[in-house]
Amino acid sequence: MRFVYLFFSICLFGFFSCNERKLEPLVQKGDKPSIVSDISVKNDHGAATISYALPDDSELLYVEAEYTLDNGVTKKVKSSVFKGFVKLEGFTSTNEREVFLYTVNRSEMKSDPISVKIKPLISPIELAFNSLLPTQDFGGVNVKYDNELENEYVLYFLTKDSVGQWEIYDKLYTLSTEINPSFSFRGLGAEPQEFAFYFTDKWQNRSDTLFQTITPLYEVEIDKTLMKHYQLDNDYYVPKFATRQLKNLWDGPSTAAGSNFFLQEYTGFAFPWWFTIDLGKKYQIGRMKVFPSPAQSGTRYSYFFGNLTPRVFEIWGSNDPGIDGSWDSWTLLDRFESIKPSGLPMGENSAEDIAVGLAGEDFTFSNYEQAYRYIRVKVMDSWSSQAGFILQELTLWGAPVE
C-alpha cells in the first residue's frame, strides 16, 4: 500500500512540475541582432518586394516586415534567412507608405527597426473593377472582367428589394484564374432593373461599387417535347446500344447509366462529326447546359471531364437544312470548350468537378441575334481525344419568335 501511495505522489509531483515549466527559446542570448543592409524596393500591383543583405550572424532565424494595409489591418510577414527578400501584398492605394523591417534570432530577439518606403502600383482589385463589364443576358446579367494578374475575388451582385433597398442577390467566389472570366446571374425578369457590383479579395479589401440599369433578355427553356432527331445524309447518329439513342439527349435529366446517347464508333471514324436536331420552332438561342453521363459500367462520374465526353464542340443553326447534309445554309452560333474546374488530370475529379458535372456545364452563345429552328452539334474533340461520344442531356434556353 505504501508503494502505491509513493507512486501516486511521484506522479502528482511530476504533473504539477510539468505544468509549471515555461516554454522558452532553446538559445539564450542577450544581444539584439544587427539590421539588414543594401535595401532595394521593387513596387508591383498592390504589392512590393523588398530585397536586402543579411548581417553576418549565424544565429539569425528570419526577417520580419510589419506594415498596415489601407483598410487598417496590421500585417506581419516573415521571410526565411535563405531568401534575401520579403514580399508584401494586399495594398489598394498607390500612396507611399512606411514598412518596418526587423531581423530575428534564435532567441526570438528582434533587431532595431529599419524604415523602408514603398509605393505600390495600382492594385489588382482596382484593375479588375475598372475592367468590369456587365451586359444583358438571357434571364439575367452577364459580367466579364480582365483578370490578367490571375487573382482570386468574390464578386457581389446586388439588386433592390420591394422597398428600394440594396440587397445581395448573389455572390460568386471567382476561384478561377482565367484571364477573362465571364459569369452570369440569372432568374431575373425582362424589364429594366438597377444592379450593383463590387469585388472583395483575400485581404478583406473591397473595391468601389459599379451601378448600372440593365434589361435582362427574355428567355424560356426550349420545349423538349417538340425536339426530335432531324436526319441528314452525312450525320452520325447510330447508337452503340439500342437503348442509348440520340433522343435520350432531350428526354429529361436523369442519373441512370443507360439514359444517355452513346455513339457507335467504327474503324476510320474521326473528328469532326455531327448530328442534327429539330427544335420544333424558331428560337434565338441564348444558352445551353450540358450534362455528362454520371456512370460508366457502374463506375460513378468516370465520364465527368473524361473519356468520350465532348471537350470541344460547335453549335450551328439553320432554317433550311435540306436533306443532303450540305453546310451551305448553316451559320456558326458558337464554339465551346469544356473546362475542368480543378485542372486535375483525366480520371481524377475533385468535389467541385463532380458538383459541376451533376449540375451541368453552362455555355452562353455570343451569336444569338438570329432565330433558328434547326441546330447541328459538331464535335471537334473529346476529353480522351478518341473519336466517340457519350452525353446524358442537352438543355437549351432562348426567346421563341414564332
Side-chain angles (χ1 to χ4, degrees):
M1 185 70 182
R2 291 178 61 190
F3 176 80
V4 172
Y5 178 80
L6 179 62
F7 178 78
F8 179 76
S9 300
I10 293 171
C11 289
L12 236 119
F13 176 78
F15 173 79
F16 285 111
S17 297
C18 289
N19 279 346
E20 291 173 2
R21 292 180 62 188
K22 295 180 180 178
L23 296 177
E24 297 177 343
L26 295 176
V27 180
Q28 297 287 345
K29 283 200 173 182
D31 296 332
K32 287 183 180 180
S34 300
I35 61 175
V36 296
S37 59
D38 296 333
I39 294 172
S40 63
V41 175
K42 180 183 178 183
N43 294 307
D44 205 344
H45 292 289
T49 300
I50 303 176
S51 300
Y52 42 75
L54 292 167
D56 186 13
D57 185 346
S58 62
E59 296 302 317
L60 283 185
L61 193 60
Y62 59 87
V63 173
E64 181 177 273
E66 185 175 321
Y67 59 102
T68 303
L69 295 176
D70 298 279
N71 56 16
V73 175
T74 299
K75 301 280 290 182
K76 293 182 180 181
V77 176
K78 297 178 181 179
S79 180
S80 162
V81 292
F82 300 105
K83 283 189 175 180
F85 68 89
V86 60
K87 184 169 184 178
L88 317 176
E89 299 179 287
F91 303 105
T92 55
S93 78
T94 58
N95 296 334
E96 186 177 69
R97 79 258 334 277
E98 193 172 29
V99 176
F100 295 101
L101 293 183
Y102 303 86
T103 57
V104 183
N105 64 21
R106 297 179 187 277
S107 298
E108 291 294 327
M109 293 193 66
K110 284 186 176 182
S111 69
D112 291 327
I114 182 167
S115 174
V116 181
K117 299 288 187 180
I118 65 170
K119 190 174 177 23
L121 306 180
I122 183 172
S123 66
I125 196 171
E126 188 174 353
L127 287 171
F129 176 78
N130 291 342
S131 68
L132 196 60
L133 181 62
T135 56
Q136 64 179 179
D137 199 358
F138 283 90
V141 175
N142 178 263
V143 181
K144 296 183 177 68
Y145 69 94
D146 185 351
N147 192 26
E148 185 177 352
L149 299 178
E150 299 186 351
N151 281 5
E152 299 175 359
Y153 306 99
V154 180
L155 174 59
Y156 287 82
F157 176 59
L158 292 81
T159 58
K160 285 189 173 180
D161 61 18
S162 58
V163 295
Q165 298 296 313
W166 286 108
E167 63 178 0
I168 296 174
Y169 181 85
D170 202 354
K171 58 183 178 181
L172 183 71
Y173 293 85
T174 61
L175 301 179
S176 170
T177 55
E178 293 179 60
I179 292 178
N180 295 112
S182 173
F183 307 102
S184 290
F185 301 96
R186 305 196 189 276
L188 300 161
E191 59 187 13
Q193 300 174 59
E194 293 181 80
F195 301 107
F197 312 84
Y198 66 86
F199 289 107
T200 61
D201 63 20
K202 63 182 179 181
W203 295 283
Q204 302 175 16
N205 294 315
R206 174 175 166 167
S207 71
D208 290 335
T209 303
L210 175 64
F211 299 93
Q212 278 200 3
T213 299
I214 300 172
T215 304
L217 298 171
Y218 173 71
E219 73 163 6
V220 296
E221 182 177 329
I222 291 179
D223 188 350
K224 292 183 177 181
T225 65
L226 301 179
M227 294 170 63
K228 59 185 178 181
H229 178 204
Y230 189 82
Q231 185 175 326
L232 298 180
D233 289 349
N234 58 355
D235 280 2
Y236 304 82
Y237 52 84
V238 177
K240 188 163 187 171
F241 307 101
T243 58
R244 312 288 185 93
Q245 298 183 40
L246 184 63
K247 65 180 182 180
N248 289 354
L249 290 180
W250 55 86
D251 65 352
S254 171
T255 57
S259 62
N260 50 43
F261 170 44
F262 199 156
L263 184 75
Q264 173 67 62
E265 318 97 278
Y266 54 85
T267 303
F269 185 61
F271 294 117
W273 64 271
W274 48 85
F275 57 86
T276 308
I277 301 173
D278 178 0
L279 301 178
K281 62 193 316 185
K282 288 183 180 181
Y283 292 89
Q284 290 174 276
I285 304 171
R287 62 186 178 102
M288 173 177 62
K289 189 181 283 284
V290 174
F291 294 87
S293 180
Q296 175 193 4
S297 303
T299 304
R300 301 297 289 173
Y301 315 130
S302 57
Y303 277 123
F304 286 10
F305 307 102
N307 296 311
L308 301 179
T309 301
R311 186 181 65 83
V312 181
F313 57 95
E314 297 174 348
I315 305 295
W316 294 67
S318 175
N319 289 313
D320 184 21
I323 59 171
D324 63 357
S326 167
W327 288 88
D328 292 346
S329 70
W330 293 88
T331 300
L332 177 63
L333 304 185
D334 223 322
R335 182 185 177 99
F336 300 113
E337 180 176 358
S338 173
I339 302 296
K340 189 175 187 177
S342 70
L344 291 171
M346 190 176 68
E348 298 179 36
N349 288 326
S350 69
E352 186 180 7
D353 297 334
I354 293 172
V356 170
L358 291 172
E361 194 171 4
D362 291 299
F363 299 95
T364 300
F365 289 83
S366 57
N367 182 5
Y368 55 78
E369 287 78 12
Q370 300 299 317
Y372 298 99
R373 172 169 173 167
Y374 303 91
I375 63 167
R376 222 168 186 183
V377 180
K378 187 175 184 179
V379 183
M380 314 302 291
D381 198 6
S382 69
W383 274 94
S384 62
S385 296
Q386 293 175 271
F389 184 89
I390 184 169
L391 204 63
Q392 196 78 11
E393 188 82 12
L394 284 177
T395 303
L396 299 108
W397 288 263
V401 297
E402 61 178 40

